[in-house]
Amino acid sequence: MASASLNTKPHRRPRASDYLIASKRCELGNLERFLQMGKLILSAGNLIHRLQRERGASNVFLGSGGTRFSGELEAMIRDSDQQQTAFERELMEIQGELTLHPTSTSLLNSIAAALHGLESMPDLRHGIRRLEISAETAIHAYIDRIRHLLTVVFDAAETVVDPAIAGMLVALVNLMQGKELAGQERAWGALGFSRGRFDPALSRRITHLIDAQEQSFVVFGQFAVPDLLALWKGHHLEPYWQELQPLRGLACSAGRYRPLDAKLAEQWFALMTRRIDQLKDLEDRMEDHFHRRCIERYTEARNALAHEEKLTESLDESGYAPQPVLVICGTSHPDRAGNFTHSEAGRILGRSIMDLVRQQARRLDQVNQELNRSREALEDRRAIGKAAELLMQHQQVGEDEAHKQLRKLAMDQGRKLPEVARSVISMSGLLR
Amino acid sequence: MASASLNTKPHRRPRASDYLIASKRCELGNLERFLQMGKLILSAGNLIHRLQRERGASNVFLGSGGTRFSGELEAMIRDSDQQQTAFERELMEIQGELTLHPTSTSLLNSIAAALHGLESMPDLRHGIRRLEISAETAIHAYIDRIRHLLTVVFDAAETVVDPAIAGMLVALVNLMQGKELAGQERAWGALGFSRGRFDPALSRRITHLIDAQEQSFVVFGQFAVPDLLALWKGHHLEPYWQELQPLRGLACSAGRYRPLDAKLAEQWFALMTRRIDQLKDLEDRMEDHFHRRCIERYTEARNALAHEEKLTESLDESGYAPQPVLVICGTSHPDRAGNFTHSEAGRILGRSIMDLVRQQARRLDQVNQELNRSREALEDRRAIGKAAELLMQHQQVGEDEAHKQLRKLAMDQGRKLPEVARSVISMSGLLR
C-alpha cells in the first residue's frame, strides 16, 4: 500500500499543471472549430455567388418580359441547386459540433433564418419563370435570402477568436459584403438596361450601391494581406474595368434622359459578371489562405502542447518528491523571494511551471488586445447591417434608403456611423 | 417504401426549425454553465476571505515579533485550509465541464496560476511561524495568491454572457476587488499599529488603498441592485465605521510623528475585520441573488424551448404536406409579398417560423447591446489590473506604486485610465 501510494501520483486534488495543459488543449479545440467555420463560410460563399448570378439573370429575364436569358437562367438555377446541396451537406457534417457544444446562439439562429429562406426558393423560381412576379419583388426576395446567408458568414467569423486569423476573416467578410453590393448593382443595372431606361430612383440606387461597395472595400483593404490587396488593385487596371465605367455612368444619370439600346443589358451583365467573378476568385484565395493559416496555427499549438506536456510531466515527477518544496512564484518582489526559499531546486522547478503559466497569460492578453481590433471592425459592420434591417422593417423602405437614413443621422449628429447604428438597435424596442 | 417515406419525415436535409431549437438549447447550456461559474466564484470568494484574514493576522504576528495573535493565526490557518479543500472540491466537480468543452482558455490558465500559488502555502506559513520572513515579504506573498484567485473570479465572470445576470457579476467582482483592497489596508495597517509607527511610505500605501477602494465601490454602485446598494450604504452609518475613521487618520498621516500604542493593533484589526466581514456578507447575498436569477432565467428559457419545440413540431407536420408551399419570409417588402403567394396557409406557417427566428434574433441583438456595457466595465477593470501587474513585474514596484504610475500617465496624457492601461498592455512586448 505504502509503496503504491508513493509510486502512483495521487490525482485527488486539482493540479496547476493539469489546468495549464487544459488551457493549451482548449486552444487546440478552438482552432479545430475555426477550420470548420472556414469550411462553412466557404460553402456559404459559393452558394451566395450562384444566387447572385441567378438574381442578375432573373432580372434580365423579367426586365425583357421573358425574351432574354431564359436558357442561361435555367443553367444557373441548376448551379445554385448544386451549391445549395453542398451547403446543406456541410451543415450536416458540422451539425453535431454546432448543436452539441454550445458555440454561438446567434450563429445557430442565423442558420435557421438562412435555411428557412432557402426552403422557398423553388416557389420563387416558379413565379419568375411564369412572369408572375415583378422584377423588383424578385430582386428583393434574392437580396433577402443572400443577406441571411451573409449573416451566417458574419456570425461564423465572429466565433473565430484567434488574432492571427480573425483579421483575415474581417477582410473576407468585407470583401463578401462588397461583392454582394456589386451583385445588387449588377441586378438593378440589368433591370434598367433590359428595360431600356433608368428612372431617377433606380439611378440613385445604383449610385448608392457603388458608394457602399467602396466603403466595404476600404475595410477589406485595412485587413487584407498585401498580396491579395495587390491582386484586388490589379483588377482596376484591366480593360473590362475601363469598359464598365461608361455603362455605370449611363446607369447613374444619363439613362433617364434617353432610351437605351436594350442590347446593353447583355454587355452590362457580362462586364459586371467579370468583375464579380474576379471578386469571387479573390474570395476563394482568401479562404484558401485562411485554411492554410489555421492548419499552421493548429500544428504550432499541437507542438507547443506536446512540449509542455512533456515538460510538466518531468516537473511533476520531481514536484511530488517527499521533501516539501517552497515555490515563490508570481510574487511581485522576486528579489525578496530568496528570503524564505528552502529548496533551490524547488524554486527553479516552481519558476518553470509559473513561467509557462505566465507566458500563456501574456500571450492570451496580447491575443485579446489584437483581437479587439478585428472584433470592433466586425461589430461595426454588424451593427450597421442590423440597424439598416430594423429601419427597413419598420419604415418599409429598401436597403439603400435605410443606409441613407443612417448616414444622414450620423452627419446631422456629428457621430460615427457605427455609433448611430448602435443607438438605433438599442432603441429598436421603440420602433415596433 | 413509398408510404414509409411519406410517413416519416426525411431528416437528410438540415431544417430551419432544427437550428431554431438548437439556438434555444445553446442558451440553456450556457445558463447551466453560468450556474457552475457562480459556484466556482462563491468558493473562490470564501477562500479569498479566509486568506485575507490570515494575512492580516500574520502581520500582527510578524509586526509584534511573534508576541501577539499566535493562537488566532493557527485557527485562521485551519479555516483557510478548509476553504481551500472546498475550492479544490468545487474545481474537481466542474473539471469535466471546464476541460472537455472549450470554455475559456484564459480561465483555465488562471486556475493553473491560482492552484500553483496555493501549492506553496504550507511553506509560506512555515516561514511565518518561525519568523524567518519579513512582514513585507509575507504580505506580498498573500497579495499575490489572492490576486490569482481574483483573476479566476474575473475570468469566470467574463464567460457569463447573459445581460440579466452579467451586470450582477460586474457588481460582484468590483465588490470583491474593493474588499481585497480593504483587506490589504487591514494587513498594512496591522503592521504599522503593531510596530507602533507608520513610516511615510506605509502611510502613502494606506492612503492609496483607501482611494482605490472607493473607485471599486463606485463601479459596484453602478451595477448593484438597489436593495444591496442600500445595504452597503447602511454600513457607513454604523458606530464601528465612526470608530474606524480616527485610526485611519493616524495610519495615513499622524502616525509618523509620534509612537503609537501597540494595543491599537488589536482594535484596528477588529474594526477592519468588522468592515470586511460586512463586505463578505454582502458578497454572499449577491452570490445568492445571482444564483436565484440564474435559476429563474434557466426556467424561463426551458419553458420557452418547450413551447417552441411544440410549435415547430406542429408547423413541421403541416409544412411537410405534399403541396409546395410558398413562404415569403424576411422580405424587406412585406406589402409586395402577396404578389407571388400561392398558398395563404403556407404563408402564415412560414411567417410563424420566421417570426420565431426573428424574435430570437432581435432578443439576441438586444442581449448583446446590454452585455456590452457589462463587458466594457469588466474589460476596463481587467486591463487596469493587467497593466499594473506588468508594471510591477517590469519595474519591481508594489501594486500601489504601479497604480499610481498608471494614474499619472492618464493625467499627463489627458486619457482615461482603461485606455492608458490598454496601451501599456499592447506595448508589453517592449517592457521585457
Side-chain angles (χ1 to χ4, degrees):
Chain A
M1 276 298 282
S3 79
S5 64
L6 267 176
N7 288 333
T8 60
K9 298 175 205 160
H11 261 270
R12 296 273 168 78
R13 306 185 87 169
R15 295 181 315 166
S17 53
D18 293 341
Y19 279 91
L20 175 64
I21 297 300
S23 173
K24 289 271 169 189
R25 286 227 179 93
C26 177
E27 267 194 286
L28 268 185
N30 283 340
L31 286 166
E32 271 173 41
R33 268 183 303 121
F34 302 162
L35 267 170
Q36 291 184 324
M37 289 302 134
K39 284 166 73 186
L40 180 63
I41 289 172
L42 176 69
S43 73
N46 287 339
L47 175 55
I48 288 169
H49 188 61
R50 298 313 188 285
L51 290 177
Q52 284 167 339
R53 195 182 305 201
E54 186 186 323
R55 172 179 59 192
S58 294
N59 261 23
V60 176
F61 178 78
L62 290 170
S64 67
T67 58
R68 292 171 188 274
F69 264 27
S70 160
E72 285 89 337
L73 183 57
E74 290 307 319
M76 288 175 193
I77 289 174
R78 280 192 298 275
D79 247 22
S80 299
D81 273 341
Q82 262 180 18
Q83 287 301 334
Q84 184 175 335
T85 306
F87 173 67
E88 288 172 350
R89 208 183 305 123
E90 191 60 52
L91 274 181
M92 294 306 282
E93 257 178 48
I94 63 172
Q95 194 162 28
E97 183 64 39
L98 279 175
T99 55
L100 292 182
H101 297 274
T103 42
S104 158
T105 317
S106 298
L107 174 60
L108 293 170
N109 198 52
S110 63
I111 292 174
L115 287 175
H116 190 67
L118 292 174
E119 281 165 10
S120 61
M121 286 305 296
D123 298 294
L124 171 61
R125 287 164 184 155
H126 189 70
I128 292 171
R129 282 192 192 100
R130 301 173 74 167
L131 301 174
E132 284 178 358
I133 59 173
S134 73
E136 283 84 358
T137 306
I139 198 170
H140 281 297
Y142 279 103
I143 287 177
D144 206 63
R145 277 144 192 83
I146 292 171
R147 192 178 57 238
H148 284 138
L149 285 165
L150 274 176
T151 306
V152 171
V153 170
F154 277 81
D155 284 342
E158 271 203 331
T159 66
V160 174
V161 288
D162 184 297
I165 47 187
M168 297 170 82
L169 287 187
V170 175
L172 179 62
V173 298
N174 277 282
L175 177 73
M176 289 173 85
Q177 176 77 28
K179 172 171 172 280
E180 163 58 5
L181 293 165
Q184 293 181 19
E185 185 193 349
R186 172 173 65 185
W188 288 113
L191 179 63
F193 283 114
S194 61
R195 278 181 181 162
R197 62 188 162 76
F198 283 82
D199 62 30
L202 190 52
S203 285
R204 272 202 304 276
R205 187 160 257 159
I206 303 270
T207 310
H208 155 72
L209 288 168
I210 293 173
D211 289 349
Q213 276 169 67
E214 285 317 304
Q215 290 171 25
S216 292
F217 291 132
V218 165
V219 186
F220 158 77
Q222 287 162 358
F223 286 89
V225 295
D227 286 7
L228 296 175
L229 185 59
L231 204 65
W232 178 76
K233 285 183 176 157
H235 295 169
H236 303 139
L237 305 174
E238 295 195 27
Y240 87 88
W241 184 252
Q242 304 308 321
E243 278 180 65
L244 188 58
Q245 300 318 310
L247 291 185
R248 273 186 160 178
L250 287 174
C252 288
S253 61
R256 62 180 121 155
Y257 299 117
R258 52 188 163 92
L260 298 164
D261 182 353
K263 279 185 188 149
L264 287 177
E266 266 98 344
Q267 198 194 339
W268 167 261
F269 191 83
L271 290 172
M272 281 301 289
T273 298
R274 179 77 195 278
R275 164 76 172 153
I276 291 166
D277 286 352
Q278 278 197 329
L279 293 174
K280 176 64 176 141
D281 174 61
L282 195 56
E283 184 185 310
D284 289 343
R285 284 169 196 265
M286 290 179 77
E287 272 157 351
D288 187 53
H289 197 67
F290 172 79
H291 188 78
R292 276 183 291 120
R293 276 299 286 140
C294 270
I295 289 179
E296 276 170 32
R297 284 279 300 114
Y298 187 81
T299 312
E300 280 165 29
R302 204 177 42 195
N303 291 342
L305 175 66
H307 175 71
E308 296 203 355
E309 273 178 333
K310 201 175 276 177
L311 197 57
T312 51
E313 218 166 275
S314 70
L315 291 174
D316 282 350
E317 280 160 19
S318 354
Y320 274 84
Q323 282 292 331
V325 161
L326 179 65
V327 180
I328 309 299
C329 53
T331 171
S332 43
H333 293 264
D335 49 334
R336 296 183 195 156
N339 292 3
F340 62 117
T341 298
H342 295 178
S343 148
E344 200 57 32
R347 195 160 70 95
I348 291 161
L349 286 175
R351 277 199 183 281
S352 307
I353 284 209
M354 201 58 198
D355 283 347
L356 295 179
V357 170
R358 263 205 199 139
Q359 203 180 313
Q360 171 87 335
R362 188 169 297 154
R363 212 166 50 68
L364 291 174
D365 281 342
Q366 284 182 343
V367 158
N368 287 332
Q369 288 291 312
E370 288 168 49
L371 260 182
N372 280 345
R373 192 174 153 249
S374 307
R375 269 198 188 141
E376 272 165 27
L378 274 181
E379 179 48 44
D380 285 355
R381 185 143 291 277
R382 164 196 292 279
I384 295 169
K386 284 283 167 189
E389 208 170 320
L390 282 168
L391 289 178
M392 285 158 65
Q393 282 170 23
H394 181 249
Q395 310 194 11
Q396 315 248 320
V397 295
E399 199 169 357
D400 41 3
E401 178 59 28
H403 280 281
K404 217 168 81 185
Q405 287 188 12
L406 282 176
R407 280 202 304 272
K408 191 171 174 323
L409 272 176
M411 213 136 67
D412 290 352
Q413 304 179 8
R415 290 159 72 202
K416 285 189 182 158
L417 199 55
E419 251 179 77
V420 170
R422 272 184 268 272
S423 306
V424 169
I425 296 168
S426 61
M427 293 184 306
S428 65
L430 304 176
L431 286 179
R432 317 264 252 123
Chain B
M1 277 295 284
S3 78
S5 64
L6 266 174
N7 288 334
T8 62
K9 295 176 205 160
H11 260 271
R12 296 274 167 77
R13 306 186 87 170
R15 296 181 313 168
S17 52
D18 294 340
Y19 280 90
L20 175 63
I21 297 300
S23 173
K24 289 270 169 191
R25 286 227 179 93
C26 177
E27 268 194 286
L28 269 186
N30 283 339
L31 286 165
E32 272 174 42
R33 268 182 305 121
F34 301 163
L35 266 171
Q36 290 185 325
M37 290 301 132
K39 284 167 72 187
L40 180 63
I41 290 172
L42 176 68
S43 72
N46 287 340
L47 176 55
I48 288 170
H49 187 61
R50 297 315 186 284
L51 290 176
Q52 284 167 340
R53 194 181 306 200
E54 187 186 321
R55 172 179 57 192
S58 295
N59 261 23
V60 176
F61 179 78
L62 290 170
S64 66
T67 59
R68 292 173 188 274
F69 264 26
S70 160
E72 285 90 337
L73 183 57
E74 290 308 319
M76 288 176 192
I77 289 174
R78 281 192 297 275
D79 247 23
S80 298
D81 272 341
Q82 261 181 18
Q83 287 301 332
Q84 182 174 336
T85 305
F87 173 67
E88 287 173 352
R89 207 183 307 122
E90 191 59 54
L91 273 181
M92 294 307 282
E93 255 179 47
I94 63 172
Q95 193 163 29
E97 183 64 40
L98 278 175
T99 55
L100 291 181
H101 297 275
T103 42
S104 157
T105 315
S106 298
L107 174 60
L108 293 171
N109 197 53
S110 62
I111 292 175
L115 287 176
H116 189 67
L118 293 174
E119 282 164 10
S120 61
M121 286 307 295
D123 299 294
L124 172 60
R125 287 163 183 156
H126 189 69
I128 291 172
R129 282 192 192 99
R130 302 174 73 167
L131 300 175
E132 284 178 357
I133 59 174
S134 72
E136 283 84 357
T137 306
I139 199 171
H140 281 298
Y142 280 102
I143 287 177
D144 207 64
R145 276 144 191 82
I146 293 172
R147 191 177 57 239
H148 285 138
L149 285 166
L150 274 175
T151 306
V152 171
V153 170
F154 277 79
D155 284 343
E158 271 204 333
T159 66
V160 174
V161 289
D162 185 296
I165 47 187
M168 297 170 81
L169 287 187
V170 175
L172 180 61
V173 298
N174 277 282
L175 177 72
M176 289 173 84
Q177 176 80 28
K179 173 170 171 279
E180 162 58 6
L181 293 166
Q184 292 180 20
E185 186 194 348
R186 172 173 63 185
W188 289 113
L191 179 63
F193 283 113
S194 61
R195 278 182 182 161
R197 64 188 160 75
F198 284 81
D199 62 29
L202 190 51
S203 285
R204 274 202 304 276
R205 188 161 257 159
I206 303 270
T207 312
H208 155 72
L209 288 169
I210 294 173
D211 290 349
Q213 277 170 64
E214 284 317 303
Q215 290 172 26
S216 292
F217 292 132
V218 166
V219 185
F220 158 77
Q222 288 162 358
F223 287 89
V225 295
D227 286 6
L228 296 175
L229 186 58
L231 204 63
W232 178 76
K233 285 185 177 157
H235 295 169
H236 303 141
L237 305 174
E238 296 196 25
Y240 85 89
W241 183 250
Q242 304 309 321
E243 279 179 64
L244 188 57
Q245 300 317 311
L247 291 185
R248 271 188 162 176
L250 286 176
C252 288
S253 59
R256 63 180 118 156
Y257 300 115
R258 52 186 164 96
L260 297 165
D261 182 354
K263 279 187 188 149
L264 287 176
E266 265 98 345
Q267 197 194 340
W268 167 262
F269 191 84
L271 290 171
M272 280 301 291
T273 297
R274 178 78 195 277
R275 164 77 173 151
I276 291 166
D277 285 352
Q278 279 197 330
L279 292 174
K280 175 65 177 141
D281 174 61
L282 195 56
E283 183 186 310
D284 289 343
R285 286 169 193 264
M286 290 180 78
E287 271 157 353
D288 187 54
H289 197 68
F290 172 79
H291 189 78
R292 276 183 290 119
R293 276 297 287 140
C294 268
I295 290 178
E296 276 171 34
R297 285 277 301 114
Y298 186 82
T299 312
E300 280 166 29
R302 203 177 43 193
N303 291 342
L305 174 65
H307 176 72
E308 296 204 355
E309 273 178 334
K310 201 177 273 178
L311 196 58
T312 52
E313 218 167 273
S314 70
L315 289 173
D316 283 350
E317 278 159 21
S318 354
Y320 274 82
Q323 282 292 330
V325 161
L326 180 64
V327 180
I328 309 300
C329 53
T331 172
S332 44
H333 293 264
D335 48 337
R336 295 182 194 158
N339 292 3
F340 60 116
T341 298
H342 293 180
S343 147
E344 201 58 30
R347 195 159 70 95
I348 291 162
L349 285 175
R351 277 197 184 280
S352 306
I353 283 210
M354 201 57 196
D355 282 346
L356 295 179
V357 170
R358 262 204 201 139
Q359 202 180 315
Q360 170 88 335
R362 189 168 297 155
R363 212 166 49 69
L364 291 174
D365 281 342
Q366 284 181 343
V367 158
N368 287 332
Q369 289 289 314
E370 288 167 48
L371 260 182
N372 280 344
R373 192 173 153 250
S374 306
R375 270 199 187 140
E376 272 165 28
L378 273 182
E379 178 50 43
D380 284 357
R381 185 143 290 277
R382 164 196 291 280
I384 294 168
K386 284 283 168 188
E389 209 170 319
L390 283 168
L391 289 178
M392 284 158 66
Q393 281 169 24
H394 181 247
Q395 309 193 14
Q396 315 246 317
V397 295
E399 199 168 357
D400 41 1
E401 177 60 28
H403 279 281
K404 216 168 82 183
Q405 287 188 14
L406 282 176
R407 281 204 303 271
K408 189 170 177 324
L409 272 176
M411 213 135 69
D412 290 352
Q413 302 179 10
R415 292 158 71 202
K416 286 188 181 157
L417 200 54
E419 249 178 78
V420 170
R422 271 184 268 273
S423 306
V424 169
I425 296 168
S426 62
M427 292 183 307
S428 65
L430 304 176
L431 285 180
R432 315 265 253 124

